[in-house]
Amino acid sequence: MITEYKVTEIFCAVDEFCNESDKQIDKKSLMSSDGKARRYRKASLSDSEIMTILIVFQFGSFRNFKHYYLFFIRQHLKSDFPNAVSYNRFVELESRVFFQMMFFLNLSAFGRCTGISFVDSTMVPVCHNLRRYANKVFKGLATDGKGTMGWCHGFKLHLVCNDRGEIITFCFTGANVDDRDPKVWAVLAKTLYGKLFADRGYISPRLFYMLFEDGVHLVTGIRTNMKNKLMPMWDKVMLRKTQLVHSRHRSVNNFIMSMIAALAAYCFFDNKPQALQGYCIENTKQLMLF
């Protein structure tokens, strides 16, 4: 269970960022196009409090957000969140902090490329496979895809981490999107350089040369039907290190906020997996086990 000290630490980091960003936003958004002051209605909970509540949820053992909010936030942490609104009102306020959360991830929480990066993907189901045809919330959005754990109806999260276990960037796609899709790498490769380690699912001459032209050396394992190529011992060692899920969302917006909050929560983990300590990128996927 997360401690109150950790809650305070998360709130201070988020609140400091929100205060700085609000100063910049207020300068440009208080006046409308006709030159008149724009009315901005503030909620009982500040943006930093909403973001903190969403992030803290990912640390606990609660699998039901409603139970977490009613019994943990409004009772156990009542002194920390004295202005906590009703559960229904909070659900309405979640989408209010979407852009703030994204800015926080990219500007304050995520790490930077160090020249040694790891990439992998994980399935994010939105419902049980047997109920995929009856699911109306994600109709037209979720797709069927097959991963190492079998078939999944939902989405796929593509993650890139550095050698310190810090997330560098991510991309959400349908579950049926290939890991080697150029559109995925148009997003992931923007901030990468040096060597990128991946499993055999990323083997593609086209992807290799595309990344190589951008200064990224893709290093993958080899399949049994492929000829062995000369590979430095360091690359072989690093390859050995490359070896979340709610399924009852009632809103696409809340699903997206839950995914983003999970990524933000991972950035506050004290024991991030590090490549040089013998961990594998599968440990990085612990942020999805909320």
Side-chain angles (χ1 to χ4, degrees), residues 32-264:
S32 59
S33 58
D34 56 3
K36 296 181 180 180
R38 181 179 299 170
R39 184 180 179 182
Y40 182 73
R41 181 182 178 184
K42 292 186 177 181
S44 300
L45 283 173
S46 65
D47 289 351
S48 52
E49 288 177 311
I50 298 174
M51 292 169 62
T52 301
I53 291 174
L54 291 172
I55 294 172
V56 169
F57 172 57
Q58 313 302 332
F59 284 84
S61 57
F62 297 94
R63 293 192 62 84
N64 185 299
F65 186 83
K66 185 175 183 178
H67 182 267
Y68 155 80
Y69 184 80
L70 293 178
F71 295 97
F72 187 67
I73 296 298
R74 299 197 65 183
Q75 293 187 19
H76 184 68
L77 296 182
K78 185 176 180 179
S79 58
D80 296 314
F81 301 97
N83 298 320
V85 296
S86 66
Y87 171 74
N88 290 337
R89 176 57 178 161
F90 184 86
V91 172
E92 295 175 355
L93 293 175
E94 283 188 42
S95 57
R96 179 190 184 103
V97 298
F98 171 77
F99 291 105
Q100 288 278 48
M101 190 78 85
M102 289 298 297
F103 292 147
F104 175 72
L105 285 177
N106 286 280
L107 300 178
S108 297
F110 281 178
R112 299 292 178 264
C113 183
T114 61
I116 299 176
S117 306
F118 300 87
V119 62
D120 208 344
S121 64
T122 184
M123 294 292 188
V124 184
V126 296
C127 67
H128 193 279
N129 285 335
L130 296 178
R131 295 195 298 267
R132 63 184 183 275
Y133 297 113
N135 188 287
K136 298 180 180 180
V137 176
F138 297 93
K139 186 177 182 180
L141 297 174
T143 57
D144 295 331
K146 189 176 183 181
T148 55
M149 302 301 292
W151 286 95
C152 162
H153 180 73
F155 302 92
K156 183 184 287 189
L157 172 63
H158 307 263
L159 277 175
V160 179
C161 300
N162 58 24
D163 57 332
R164 302 189 186 101
E166 300 170 334
I167 298 175
I168 301 175
T169 185
F170 72 98
C171 178
F172 275 114
T173 66
N176 61 345
V177 175
D178 194 284
D179 292 338
R180 300 162 294 184
D181 193 303
K183 294 182 180 179
V184 173
W185 286 98
V187 177
L188 298 182
K190 288 182 179 179
T191 59
L192 300 181
Y193 66 89
K195 291 191 176 183
L196 175 67
F197 296 89
D199 58 30
R200 299 173 185 176
Y202 291 85
I203 295 177
S204 168
R206 179 185 177 187
L207 177 61
F208 176 87
Y209 289 114
M210 183 183 74
L211 293 176
F212 194 78
E213 290 178 355
D214 293 333
V216 181
H217 179 195
L218 178 63
V219 181
T220 64
I222 59 174
R223 298 194 180 107
T224 55
N225 61 346
M226 294 175 60
K227 292 183 179 179
N228 195 4
K229 295 182 179 180
L230 183 63
M231 182 184 297
M233 180 58 67
W234 173 254
D235 290 353
K236 292 182 179 180
V237 172
M238 297 303 287
L239 271 176
R240 293 175 184 172
K241 320 222 179 274
T242 62
Q243 297 295 333
L244 48 185
V245 174
H246 289 309
S247 60
R248 295 185 180 179
H249 288 284
R250 300 179 181 178
S251 165
V252 176
N253 291 338
N254 292 345
F255 167 78
I256 295 174
M257 289 306 304
S258 181
M259 296 296 103
I260 297 174
L263 294 173

